[in-house]
Amino acid sequence: MSEDTGTNYQLIKGSTSHTNMSTLSYWNEPNTLQYDNKTIVDRMRSRTEVYPDVVPFVERLLSGSKRSITNQEFLQKTEKIAKYLVSLGVKKGDKIAIYGKNSLEWIIGEFAIFFAGAVSVHINILTRDASDALGMIDICKCRFLLIDPTNDNGAAQLISAFKERDRNNHILLLRKNEKYQFYDLESEFCSPDRKSELPNVDTDDDAMIFGTSGSTGTPKLVLFTHFNIACNTPTDADNPSYSHFGGPSKFTIFNDRTFSWMGGTPITNFLYGNQMIFTSTSANPTKEEAMQIWKMIQEEECNGGCFLPYLLQNIIDTLGKVEDDGFRLHMLFSGGQIIDDAFIKTVWRYCKLFFIGYGFTECFASVSLIPLSEGQPYCTGYVGKINKGVELRIVDGSEDTVPLGIHGDIQIRHKALSKGYFANDELTKEVFTATGWFRTGDIGYLKDEGVLIITGRKKDIISRGTMKITPGFVEEKIQSMPGIKNVVVVGVPDDHLLEEVCVCFIPVEEMDVTPAAVENFCKDTFLKEETLDGMGEMPKYFLRFEIFPLLYNGKLDKVQLKKLAAQNLKLCDQ
């Protein structure tokens, strides 16, 4: 991927200011914060030197127990494990797979990979035979596996298959497990210091490989360097949260997401100097777990919380039936999917400010972040003003920048963008332009002052005859119907029109909303025969669901939902 940052400005007639005076859909406002050109390793050492006793991570279990670690302990244990990896033969640039539930050991293991000069490969297991994880390991040619097999069948399959692949493969347990005789982190912590020398790590060195969520298809392997990861976090001296909250780790934030996913990585909070509170639970907690999570947040006196929309909805559904305890988070963050006004109206019992973030696994920085307060009007798909340092444009099919207010494909450019997709040059060239623009796959439009509106995914567009239908528009209308909890509009096969519009909905608990009722609502809302093509955007099919299929990270699995809809309508083979 090209590092060029100037050639593409020709598309906007030479404009390099924060806004484009030719009224084209382009935005680029320089960042005013100070950043340094350091690696993750450099940041950790300098942070420890200045703040050795500060606690960056607190692990809470639903049982009520608690563990934490100081910067000094964190650095010592990380260097110890890194030296052990080097003693095993880990070389600079080697790929090391890591898998397991959220834990302090997981964090130490990943940072040890960085200190050893290696690349951390985030593994997720979605199949019982762990074939998906093994495929990722094979592509990355991982000879080392750091794993926590606690209560996980997939992990057992992965361990067995990984050793069968090559007897010289190494397995290090993140936490001791009686079922396995492999060496573990705790044993190494108690062993004498090794004489292995740690390599010098440079900002251009590869650091991490993430798998995308796969919410719209096959997951991709996204590669980041140390520079991509650390370049967008301000120096400690210029960190705005330090001055606002009174120093490092004073901003205490709970994060519900798995460490293996971009939104849950502990690196971000560490680099920003936040104190991260975490636990290990599913994105679909039981009522009891939801209550425990909220209690945990109060006990830790968290300033902020970062939740997947689905987990947040589960907490709201549970706590909404319990007397208000008066506790409010100062900030609540969510994102990963379009959030509507109906959802936002339910969050104010839990926070003072609600932030909606917009970003991608391919970029180690958010594109935009909008703060909302109670009563503030909100438009579905509105993600706020483009963040400083992010370059964004809206283009047409020829990749020419469109005028302000015109829908088009959203593209971004930023120094935190991934290098591309590991071991997939063809896909990298397809998604990243020669001048460094990332084709996000999202559709939207730009308003004055750099305000961005997302209207949907390019892949989600439903082609009914010659009409291109954006699901988000239809969803927003149906979401306003009383008794509707969640709604997703998908395209299903049609012999004559290629695709037809299908409404998949989940009703509010204890409300008997039928498909016929939703159809009648749509007939009252959308024009059909009166439109030029005689169909307009009126849906044809209506399906009621109790739950929607989710991916491992709690995001909606649209691919599976489309399959289920087509099967239920008998439009494809079962």
Side-chain angles (χ1 to χ4, degrees):
M1 201 176 83
S2 172
E3 293 297 323
D4 173 61
T5 58
T7 307
N8 216 54
Y9 287 112
Q10 296 174 1
L11 292 173
I12 56 164
K13 307 184 188 308
S15 173
T16 56
S17 64
H18 72 279
T19 188
N20 186 2
M21 301 310 293
S22 63
T23 70
L24 293 180
S25 295
Y26 171 84
W27 190 264
N28 180 23
E29 186 173 359
N31 207 324
T32 55
L33 292 176
Q34 295 297 313
Y35 299 89
D36 50 28
N37 191 27
K38 290 186 176 181
T39 66
I40 299 169
V41 174
D42 295 332
R43 284 292 190 95
M44 185 172 178
R45 285 177 171 152
S46 61
R47 178 75 52 73
T48 301
E49 183 178 351
V50 180
Y51 305 108
D53 298 322
V54 164
V55 175
F57 301 109
V58 176
E59 178 181 5
R60 291 292 304 260
L61 301 181
L62 293 180
S63 62
S65 60
K66 171 180 175 177
R67 297 192 301 160
S68 62
I69 192 169
T70 66
N71 282 328
Q72 186 67 58
E73 294 168 334
F74 185 27
L75 177 61
Q76 290 173 347
K77 291 185 175 183
T78 295
E79 289 186 328
K80 197 168 184 63
I81 299 303
K83 289 181 179 180
Y84 172 69
L85 293 175
V86 171
S87 75
L88 292 178
V90 169
K91 300 289 193 300
K92 198 172 179 180
D94 280 351
K95 313 298 186 295
I96 300 181
I98 184 166
Y99 174 78
K101 295 182 180 298
N102 293 357
S103 67
L104 290 176
E105 288 79 8
W106 197 104
I107 301 173
I108 293 167
E110 172 153 80
F111 276 74
I113 293 172
F114 301 145
F115 272 67
V119 182
S120 175
V121 179
H122 288 203
I123 297 295
N124 291 291
I125 302 176
L126 305 178
T127 59
R128 293 188 182 279
D129 61 0
S131 57
D132 53 335
L134 286 165
M136 192 170 177
I137 285 173
D138 288 343
I139 291 172
C140 297
K141 299 179 180 179
C142 300
R143 297 186 300 110
F144 300 86
L145 171 64
L146 274 60
I147 189 167
D148 178 6
T150 306
N151 302 323
D152 196 317
N153 258 353
Q157 295 293 332
L158 179 59
I159 288 173
S160 175
F162 184 73
K163 286 303 292 183
E164 289 178 4
R165 284 279 201 280
D166 188 333
R167 290 187 176 182
N168 293 320
N169 283 348
H170 293 278
I171 292 176
L172 176 63
L173 298 182
L174 293 171
R175 288 190 284 190
K176 186 174 292 188
N177 191 298
E178 295 180 357
K179 293 182 180 179
Y180 302 97
Q181 300 303 311
F182 302 111
Y183 200 55
D184 61 89
L185 262 64
E186 184 180 342
S187 297
E188 180 62 18
F189 293 154
C190 300
S191 69
D193 288 339
R194 298 180 186 272
K195 297 182 180 180
S196 308
E197 285 193 18
L198 298 179
N200 291 322
V201 179
D202 301 315
T203 54
D204 291 334
D205 289 341
D206 294 341
M208 184 184 302
I209 294 176
F210 278 103
T212 61
S213 68
S215 58
T216 56
T218 304
K220 302 174 283 288
L221 307 184
V222 184
L223 177 63
F224 290 101
T225 64
H226 280 263
F227 176 77
N228 295 147
I229 295 170
C231 71
N232 200 51
T233 53
T235 63
D236 285 347
D238 202 46
N239 192 321
S241 69
Y242 283 20
S243 58
H244 185 77
F245 291 99
S249 293
K250 296 298 183 181
F251 181 64
T252 303
I253 184 168
F254 174 83
N255 195 320
D256 71 308
R257 309 180 188 197
T258 174
F259 289 167
S260 62
W261 189 42
M262 168 72 83
T265 175
I267 294 173
T268 303
N269 279 302
F270 181 78
L271 291 178
Y272 270 96
N274 302 331
Q275 182 180 81
M276 182 178 182
I277 313 297
F278 67 90
T279 187
S280 185
T281 186
S282 70
N284 190 23
T286 64
K287 177 179 178 180
E288 182 181 355
E289 288 173 339
M291 294 291 289
Q292 289 173 320
I293 289 172
W294 188 245
K295 181 181 178 183
M296 179 192 308
I297 289 171
Q298 294 184 60
E299 290 175 347
E300 294 298 331
E301 298 181 347
C302 292
N303 309 108
C306 185
F307 294 92
L308 284 162
Y310 273 91
L311 185 138
L312 182 55
Q313 184 67 63
N314 287 338
I315 291 178
I316 289 171
D317 290 344
T318 299
L319 297 180
K321 301 174 184 178
V322 181
E323 185 178 351
D324 189 347
D325 54 24
F327 177 77
R328 302 288 189 274
L329 288 167
H330 183 66
M331 302 176 183
L332 185 56
F333 300 85
S334 194
Q337 65 191 65
I338 292 179
I339 294 174
D340 56 49
D341 185 56
F343 180 87
I344 290 174
K345 288 177 179 176
T346 65
V347 305
W348 304 117
R349 176 183 161 181
Y350 313 97
C351 63
K352 298 175 182 177
L353 288 173
F354 183 59
F355 288 77
I356 299 175
Y358 174 58
F360 310 87
T361 301
E362 286 85 351
C363 186
F364 220 94
S366 62
V367 175
S368 64
L369 190 66
I370 172 176
L372 296 172
S373 55
E374 188 170 3
Q376 183 176 342
Y378 176 75
C379 171
T380 299
Y382 175 59
V383 294
K385 185 177 178 179
I386 308 305
N387 288 336
K388 292 180 179 180
V390 177
E391 195 176 358
L392 182 143
R393 66 180 184 178
I394 312 291
V395 300
D396 58 20
S398 300
E399 298 207 324
D400 291 326
T401 309
V402 302
L404 281 174
I406 301 300
H407 281 73
D409 299 338
I410 299 171
Q411 297 185 354
I412 64 167
R413 194 158 61 173
H414 193 278
K415 57 188 177 181
L417 267 180
S418 161
K419 287 179 64 177
Y421 300 111
F422 181 75
N424 197 334
D425 291 339
E426 183 177 345
L427 182 61
T428 298
K429 291 177 182 178
E430 177 185 333
V431 177
F432 294 86
T433 73
T435 49
W437 288 98
F438 169 57
R439 301 180 176 105
T440 68
D442 282 342
I443 297 171
Y445 60 94
L446 194 65
K447 300 177 69 175
D448 291 335
E449 297 303 317
V451 173
L452 181 64
I453 308 292
I454 309 297
T455 55
R457 291 283 297 175
K458 195 171 183 179
K459 289 183 178 180
D460 292 340
I461 293 296
I462 300 171
S463 299
R464 180 163 67 182
T466 58
M467 185 74 169
K468 303 298 183 185
I469 297 174
T470 303
F473 173 77
V474 183
E475 290 168 353
E476 181 180 0
K477 297 296 183 183
I478 300 173
Q479 188 70 64
S480 66
M481 176 182 173
I484 295 293
K485 178 179 177 181
N486 286 315
V487 61
V488 178
V489 173
V490 299
V492 293
D494 186 88
D495 291 338
H496 301 291
L497 299 171
L498 182 62
E499 285 186 298
E500 258 297 356
V501 181
C502 177
V503 174
C504 304
F505 69 94
I506 297 175
V508 173
E509 291 179 18
E510 302 175 358
M511 290 194 69
D512 186 23
V513 180
T514 65
V518 179
E519 181 176 7
N520 288 332
F521 176 85
C522 287
K523 287 179 179 178
D524 292 336
T525 303
F526 299 102
L527 295 175
K528 185 179 179 182
E529 288 81 3
E530 300 91 337
T531 61
L532 293 176
D533 67 352
M535 293 180 290
E537 302 202 359
M538 174 67 190
K540 181 176 180 179
Y541 301 109
F542 303 85
L543 293 174
R544 173 173 168 160
F545 286 76
E546 296 303 318
I547 58 172
F548 287 148
L550 304 179
L551 295 164
Y552 66 92
N553 55 21
K555 294 180 82 172
L556 175 69
D557 188 343
K558 283 194 174 180
V559 175
Q560 183 62 20
L561 182 60
K562 289 183 69 170
K563 289 180 180 178
L564 290 174
Q567 289 171 0
N568 287 340
L569 296 167
K570 299 184 174 13
L571 299 175
C572 68
D573 295 333
Q574 297 294 317

